[in-house]
Amino acid sequence: MSSPAPDSRKRSISATADEGPNSNAKPAKSRRVSSTDAKSKASQDDQVSATAGQIKSGSSLAAWLKIPPPPPLPEPFFMTKPIFDRDSIFLGYALPFAEPSVSTVNSYIARLPHDHPDLPDVVAGRGGAAEANGAGGSSKPRKKIKPNHNMWAYKCLRKKPGTTGVSEADYEAVEASSDDGEQYGGSHLLKVLNEEGTVDVLVVCSRWFGGTMLGPIRFQHIEKCARAALEGWTEREKLVELWREIDKLDKVIEDLRVELAPPDSAENDSAANPTTDSSVQRPAPKARKHESITNVQQLERIVKARTLTVQTLINKVTLQKP
């Protein structure tokens, strides 16, 4: 038979000494509890139980306390495919970064999504094992495994003090990096940034270390992640710029069409719905289907077509004016 754990044995001995006939402990004084005290205590217990039940039943503590979620990462944002080497995983990220600040870097890294579909479920926190929780049990989601290292580097342009910011000479490059425990990892990321000539960007390489030392080849993986992240980020940046340009053109087209609408249609709308101010009526916003398009050439053709539409509507508005 195995002996009890030291802590439990200690508690058992202490309890016997306190409760034995030779104990010198003074008996506790009895106190009469009123019905009011009992009701107040029961009410407090009910409130605590209800609070614990709400937190346990689904919502997180942050949601229960109504703490707003952190803001999303800035666009364009790009995450690479993971690189696997023995029991280590490398994953790269790139996102815009215009103001040199280590605290901002740490804020972004804390919000990086480690959820690439190629990552193992146990790392990404997908799925979960069923655990007994009363009758029937429930499925508890797995916790994500955080990377052992989050190396980073950034390079951005900053306006020199006392300059107007009109010419290129008014700006200077500011760069920084961090190994986060992976020696020389940050300097390899900065090396890629300088070789690619990319500015106003933050590049991160996350590594999950499985225990096997990889040697110098790990730097090849780090640099490969950085180059893939910058390449994808640059492509993503073009897409976001074109999406925003289409949004602006659509807004101009909407305004011009409202201006071209015949006056009698506004009067009819006002008569049909007297509580509505016809001067601010606009067509229902269209679904932004263009944001599902990831082909740069196709988006450029859409921009060209929207620009021609704008010019046509401007000509019509000009002819309509007395």
Side-chain angles (χ1 to χ4, degrees):
M1 179 182 296
S2 60
S3 60
D7 289 344
S8 61
R9 187 168 62 244
K10 195 172 185 180
R11 288 195 297 269
S12 175
I13 294 172
S14 176
T16 304
D18 290 342
E19 297 171 8
N22 298 325
S23 172
N24 294 323
K26 295 180 179 180
K29 294 181 179 179
S30 61
R31 184 174 70 89
R32 182 175 296 176
V33 180
S34 66
S35 60
T36 304
D37 290 342
K39 289 180 180 178
S40 175
K41 179 67 167 58
S43 176
Q44 292 176 1
D45 290 344
D46 290 342
Q47 290 178 1
V48 172
S49 299
T51 300
Q54 289 176 7
I55 296 175
K56 188 177 180 181
S57 66
S59 63
S60 65
L61 180 60
W64 185 82
L65 293 174
K66 297 183 179 179
I67 299 175
L73 291 169
E75 281 282 1
F77 167 80
F78 188 80
M79 174 172 56
T80 68
K81 290 184 177 182
I83 296 175
F84 299 91
D85 188 346
R86 281 155 278 186
D87 48 12
S88 283
I89 306 173
F90 299 82
L91 191 62
Y93 304 87
L95 58 161
F97 195 80
E99 294 294 332
S101 166
V102 174
S103 61
T104 304
V105 172
N106 292 333
S107 172
Y108 286 171
I109 289 177
R111 287 180 273 152
L112 288 177
H114 305 303
D115 57 359
H116 194 281
D118 290 347
L119 283 174
D121 290 346
V122 67
V123 172
R126 289 185 287 265
E131 294 187 5
N133 182 14
S138 66
S139 180
K140 288 185 76 173
R142 285 194 182 110
K143 289 185 177 180
K144 294 183 180 181
I145 298 178
K146 295 182 178 180
N148 300 91
H149 311 286
N150 284 306
M151 303 150 267
W152 59 263
Y154 68 72
K155 186 174 183 178
C156 53
L157 294 179
R158 180 175 60 186
K159 189 168 74 70
K160 296 177 182 177
T163 61
T164 60
V166 176
S167 65
E168 291 185 6
D170 293 343
Y171 293 87
E172 59 183 355
V174 181
E175 58 186 39
S177 64
S178 170
D179 298 336
D180 192 32
E182 181 68 80
Q183 193 173 16
Y184 307 121
S187 59
H188 279 268
L189 294 175
L190 195 57
K191 169 177 171 280
V192 173
L193 277 176
N194 288 321
E195 289 176 352
E196 297 294 326
T198 314
V199 294
D200 292 341
V201 64
L202 167 70
V203 62
V204 181
C205 180
S206 298
R207 181 189 181 184
W208 288 263
F209 177 62
T212 303
M213 306 294 286
L214 302 183
I217 197 173
R218 69 188 187 278
F219 299 126
Q220 296 181 28
H221 299 327
I222 292 170
E223 291 188 14
K224 187 175 181 180
C225 279
R227 293 188 197 281
L230 291 175
E231 181 181 349
W233 178 79
T234 303
E235 186 72 15
R236 178 80 178 175
E237 188 178 35
K238 293 178 184 176
L239 294 175
V240 172
E241 287 177 357
L242 289 169
W243 291 340
R244 290 171 178 168
E245 182 64 22
I246 294 172
D247 285 338
K248 290 178 183 178
L249 291 169
D250 284 345
K251 179 65 169 59
V252 174
I253 291 171
E254 179 186 326
D255 291 341
L256 289 170
R257 284 176 174 163
V258 169
E259 190 173 350
L260 283 171
D264 57 343
S265 65
E267 293 175 2
N268 294 335
D269 291 341
S270 179
N273 188 7
T275 61
T276 303
D277 184 1
S278 61
S279 63
V280 297
Q281 281 189 353
R282 291 183 178 274
K286 297 180 180 179
R288 300 164 72 177
K289 295 181 180 179
H290 55 270
E291 292 193 359
S292 63
I293 301 172
T294 56
N295 184 288
V296 172
Q297 288 75 22
Q298 186 177 354
L299 289 170
E300 288 174 343
R301 288 195 295 269
I302 294 175
V303 169
K304 187 176 180 179
R306 294 284 206 280
T307 304
L308 291 173
T309 302
V310 168
Q311 190 58 51
T312 301
L313 292 173
I314 289 174
N315 292 338
K316 288 184 178 180
V317 170
T318 305
L319 292 172
Q320 195 180 67
K321 290 182 179 179

